Amino acid sequence: MAGPSKSLVLDPALQKYYELNANRYKYFRWTPRHAWISFIYMALIPGALGYLAYKTDGKYEWRGKRKGDTIAEW
């Protein structure tokens, strides 16, 4: 039959890791490093992508081009 049997021995180190991972929110503390990483992912990267999208809006036309035509509209 399939499934775990009574002879299955679990690795204690893996069990400890699984428990720690499931309860990670209980052990989290804000540090300067965590704050900086959060700022980068929540503000800097979306801001840079938004700025890039705003500056290139309407600049490129990807449809209806033939070989040798440029994609830049202006």
Side-chain angles (χ1 to χ4, degrees):
M1 288 290 205
S5 63
K6 294 189 186 272
S7 65
L8 180 65
V9 179
L10 299 174
D11 185 9
L14 280 177
Q15 291 301 111
K16 183 178 177 182
Y17 172 75
Y18 294 149
E19 281 296 316
L20 181 68
N21 201 21
N23 298 316
R24 186 175 299 270
Y25 68 95
K26 295 178 184 176
Y27 305 106
F28 179 80
R29 278 188 290 171
W30 280 104
T31 62
R33 182 175 184 265
H34 288 145
W36 179 244
I37 291 172
S38 297
F39 171 74
I40 288 174
Y41 281 114
M42 290 189 287
L44 197 63
I45 292 175
L49 290 175
Y51 176 76
L52 183 68
Y54 178 75
K55 292 305 277 184
T56 60
D57 186 32
K59 185 174 183 180
Y60 302 108
E61 181 64 43
W62 297 97
R63 299 178 67 189
K65 296 294 181 181
R66 296 187 179 165
K67 187 175 180 178
D69 290 345
T70 62
I71 61 169
E73 290 294 315
W74 44 273

